Amino acid sequence: MNDKRFILHPLGAGSGNRWDWAMLPLVLAAFSLLALAASQMALPFHLGEVLPISLDPWVLPYYLLRTTLRMFLALAASVLFACVFAALAAKFRTAEKVLVPLLDILQSIPILGFLSITVTAFIGLFPGSLLGVECAAIFAIFTSQAWNMAFSLYQSMRTLPAELQEAASIFRLSAWHRFWRLELPFAMPGLLWNMMMSMSGGWFFVVASEAISVANQDIKLPGVGSYIAMAIAARDVAAIGWAILAMFIGILLYDQLFFRPLLAWADKFRFEESGNENPPTSWLLNWLRRTERMRRLGAWPASLLGLSFKWARRGFDGTSIRARPQPVNPHWERALDALLAALVLLALWRLASFIQTEVGWAEAAHVFKLGAYTLVRVLVLIALASLIWVPVGVWIGLNPRIAGRVQALAQFLAAFPANLMFPVAVMLIVHWKLNPDIWLSPLMVLGTQWYLLFNVIAGASMIPAELRLAAGNLGLTGWLKWRRYLLPAIFPSFVTGAITASGGSWNASIVAEYVSWGDTTLQAQGLGSYIAQMTAAGDFPRIALGIGVMCVFVMALNRWVWRRLYRVAEQGMHF
């Protein structure tokens, strides 16, 4: 091409335009802040040292910088994990049999369980440096972000439209080419909304991630989470208010500087033209598109990806018999099934031995009974949250102008630490003499209901234009419109939101069924309350029993409810 717009000059060529110079202060400020935060993460540290944490509001900008950097590092690791998991689980049936149940188990393990296992290892990996504790905190935040993103990408790849799959076969795309050109772009809108949910959901666990207990010592890393933990311990309401304000400012900043440009950029990846008159926009993306140097810099990764397509090109033409997909040898599948069955039997035998020698069968039966109580709460709360947030999510997703206005607010509400509401709940329950078994239950879904909302918004925003026009031409209204048009269209995204909200609710039950404020403690009968009590007592065999039973309930619920709904979504939902 002779068009100069397509010529990539060396980065040093030219002086750029006025937009490059206008962007320069923002880029320099971002790199300076990142360098400052990164340098503070690798300071010398020895176990037993006390890191000073102040409740002075003037230190909150620095704490917000440290916390945000941890969350974005965890987000990057979560995106990488989600891509690897989804590609393996969606493309290989053998891998799916192992990875999906494994993800169910990981999702059901409380974040405190991950911390107790990994903190010592990370500290040993970086002796004499604060980097070990920082890595432990980042990993803990990663465990609160990764699972819903992995489920979202996996669901999108499994529900890829048949016509797109046929086009990929006709053009003989390699697996690498197909992932980058077809599967990831198709999943991008839903993945971005789940990235926003992951960032917001990470705030719920940031207190536990930054205020770490190891070797009978408390380590509080500088950050908003540690600030909130100290404010709660000191009952400093003003400090909690300053922390909430800092969170809101931080969410507004990374919404404008990161997520809103990504959403506006990803609008081009819609499966079909949406027909929206008001697509998402971003002042920063418009600004970047007017620059010269930044555009040339952004073209380098694209050119490297283009080179990788040449290296990963399929070597056979479309008429070759060898180019056809080869069926998996059934003997290998049977061998893997036999191996998995043997591992399950071994796990059951070890579990039975553990119960018999450590806690007793009567205690195990009691814990399963408590698990049934928590199961009822989870199912009821997910159903009630669905009745509320599915209509709201569809309304927001079908109106891009509304979505742009409520995006930051939705992220703030999802990021608001639900544990700050627990003292209010305790005071109201005690004042009105309410039943804790009933009125502590809503606390389980305060932080997880947003998974439903964000996934439904993503699903509704991807509804093709012809479906909207057809529904309008046919005059669909009321329940018929929901039954024949809206529910089938958002069903795959709803299942993803429900499965992640369900897993999050099980984890939240540990802090929601056993709530304390000052000298007042309220508890509801349930598995979460049991684990919390045993953790406070330091009874490790019963802690392990509680976590194991929770894994069993989560895996059974995912296997017999959510996984079947996934298959319905893959085959097409018909009412």
Side-chain angles (χ1 to χ4, degrees):
M1 293 184 184
N2 296 323
D3 193 335
K4 295 182 179 180
R5 291 176 299 175
F6 294 93
I7 299 176
L8 295 181
H9 300 282
L11 190 60
S15 59
N17 57 22
R18 68 176 187 272
W19 297 103
D20 287 292
W21 290 104
M23 179 65 67
L24 185 62
L26 183 61
V27 174
L28 292 178
F31 276 110
S32 300
L33 291 175
L34 287 175
L36 172 63
S39 65
Q40 296 299 308
M41 293 175 66
L43 292 176
F45 173 79
H46 297 282
L47 197 61
E49 292 184 23
V50 178
L51 298 174
I53 303 295
S54 172
L55 291 182
D56 188 344
W58 291 105
V59 302
L60 272 173
Y62 172 69
Y63 287 174
L64 180 63
L65 174 65
R66 296 286 297 271
T67 297
T68 305
L69 179 59
R70 295 184 191 111
M71 296 180 72
F72 270 101
L73 290 173
L75 185 69
S78 299
V79 171
L80 180 61
F81 170 83
C83 290
V84 174
F85 168 85
L88 294 176
K91 293 176 179 292
F92 303 100
R93 184 172 177 271
T94 301
E96 183 183 25
K97 292 181 179 179
V98 177
L99 293 178
V100 174
L102 179 62
L103 192 62
D104 291 339
I105 295 174
L106 293 174
Q107 183 188 14
S108 62
I109 297 177
I111 187 173
L112 295 178
F114 285 110
L115 275 174
S116 62
I117 297 172
T118 59
V119 168
T120 305
F122 279 117
I123 292 178
L125 189 62
F126 300 97
S129 173
L130 189 62
L131 192 58
V133 186
E134 291 281 358
C135 288
I138 293 170
F139 181 78
I141 298 173
F142 163 84
T143 62
S144 69
Q145 294 180 341
W147 319 138
N148 66 301
M149 295 167 59
F151 274 123
S152 172
L153 191 53
Y154 167 71
Q155 170 260 320
S156 297
M157 294 177 67
R158 289 299 300 266
T159 57
L160 198 69
E163 55 266 39
L164 293 183
Q165 299 186 43
E166 293 172 359
S169 300
I170 292 173
F171 287 109
R172 305 192 305 276
L173 299 183
S174 65
W176 178 255
H177 202 166
R178 177 181 173 130
F179 176 79
W180 287 102
R181 288 297 193 190
L182 175 61
E183 293 164 343
L184 186 60
F186 175 77
M188 187 62 71
L191 181 62
L192 284 179
W193 279 98
N194 274 280
M195 287 171 61
M196 288 190 291
M197 181 62 236
S198 293
M199 280 292 290
S200 298
W203 287 100
F204 182 84
F205 298 101
V206 76
V207 174
S209 302
E210 294 180 349
I212 302 173
S213 296
V214 58
N216 297 321
Q217 300 183 39
D218 292 329
I219 303 175
K220 288 185 173 58
L221 293 171
V224 178
S226 296
Y227 187 95
I228 292 175
M230 285 197 63
I232 292 176
R235 295 189 179 185
D236 192 333
V237 178
I240 292 176
W242 285 113
I244 293 173
L245 177 61
M247 285 173 49
F248 179 76
I249 294 174
I251 291 168
L252 187 63
L253 285 174
Y254 67 64
D255 172 71
Q256 291 291 321
L257 299 178
F258 185 75
F259 285 118
R260 194 173 294 271
L262 276 181
L263 280 176
W265 170 77
D267 188 63
K268 63 183 179 181
F269 294 127
R270 292 184 184 275
F271 173 38
E272 298 182 52
E273 292 296 328
S274 62
N276 292 329
E277 297 179 358
N278 300 290
T281 59
S282 166
W283 61 269
L284 182 60
L285 183 63
N286 294 335
W287 198 350
L288 288 171
R289 285 171 173 167
R290 292 167 181 163
T291 62
E292 292 181 5
R293 288 175 177 260
M294 296 301 297
R295 289 179 62 190
R296 291 201 297 268
L297 187 63
W300 282 10
S303 62
L304 294 177
L305 185 60
L307 289 176
S308 71
F309 293 153
K310 296 180 180 180
W311 298 333
R313 182 181 300 169
R314 291 179 63 177
F316 309 121
D317 60 86
T319 62
S320 173
I321 295 177
R322 292 180 298 172
R324 299 175 184 174
Q326 298 297 320
V328 179
N329 190 330
H331 298 293
W332 286 108
E333 287 196 356
R334 292 172 185 171
L336 178 64
D337 291 342
L339 177 62
L340 292 178
L343 291 176
V344 170
L345 291 176
L346 176 62
L348 291 176
W349 177 74
R350 294 296 301 269
L351 178 62
S353 301
F354 169 79
I355 292 174
Q356 185 172 357
T357 57
E358 297 290 341
V359 295
W361 290 103
E363 182 74 6
H366 173 64
V367 174
F368 269 94
K369 179 182 177 182
L370 296 177
Y373 292 154
T374 303
L375 173 64
V376 172
R377 291 191 180 99
V378 169
L379 293 178
V380 171
L381 289 170
I382 294 298
L384 293 176
S386 300
L387 292 175
I388 296 172
W389 293 116
V390 167
V392 174
V394 169
W395 175 66
I396 294 175
L398 294 178
N399 296 275
R401 179 179 296 179
I402 300 298
R405 293 175 180 175
V406 305
Q407 181 177 317
L409 177 61
Q411 289 187 70
F412 174 71
L413 292 176
F416 188 84
N419 47 2
L420 295 182
M421 298 297 298
F422 292 177
V424 178
V426 171
M427 290 185 289
L428 291 177
I429 291 173
V430 171
H431 177 76
W432 295 100
K433 298 180 181 179
L434 303 174
N435 186 351
D437 287 331
I438 297 175
W439 294 102
L440 283 179
S441 300
L443 300 180
M444 292 170 53
V445 81
L446 283 180
T448 60
Q449 59 186 335
W450 310 108
Y451 291 108
L452 280 169
L453 176 62
F454 278 58
N455 278 278
V456 171
I457 291 175
S461 65
M462 296 171 63
I463 296 178
E466 59 267 24
L467 276 181
R468 302 188 188 189
L469 296 175
N473 292 336
L474 294 174
L476 296 182
T477 58
W479 172 239
L480 183 63
K481 180 179 180 180
W482 281 93
R483 182 165 165 257
R484 293 295 187 186
Y485 161 46
L486 293 175
L487 288 180
I490 67 167
F491 188 67
S493 298
F494 167 77
V495 174
T496 300
I499 194 173
T500 51
S502 171
S505 296
W506 282 95
N507 271 312
S509 68
I510 297 175
V511 294
E513 292 180 347
Y514 190 86
V515 182
S516 298
W517 176 249
D519 299 330
T520 304
T521 299
L522 298 177
Q523 66 182 72
Q525 294 187 69
L527 186 56
S529 175
Y530 178 86
I531 295 175
Q533 292 180 69
M534 295 303 108
T535 301
D539 193 334
F540 293 102
R542 285 172 171 77
I543 295 174
L545 175 64
I547 293 177
V549 170
M550 181 175 287
C551 291
V552 170
F553 271 96
V554 172
M555 290 184 64
L557 186 62
N558 289 350
R559 174 66 179 84
W560 299 108
V561 177
W562 306 123
R563 207 65 63 211
R564 294 191 175 189
L565 293 179
Y566 261 133
R567 287 197 291 269
V568 172
E570 293 169 14
Q571 298 166 2
M573 186 177 173
H574 302 287
F575 289 87

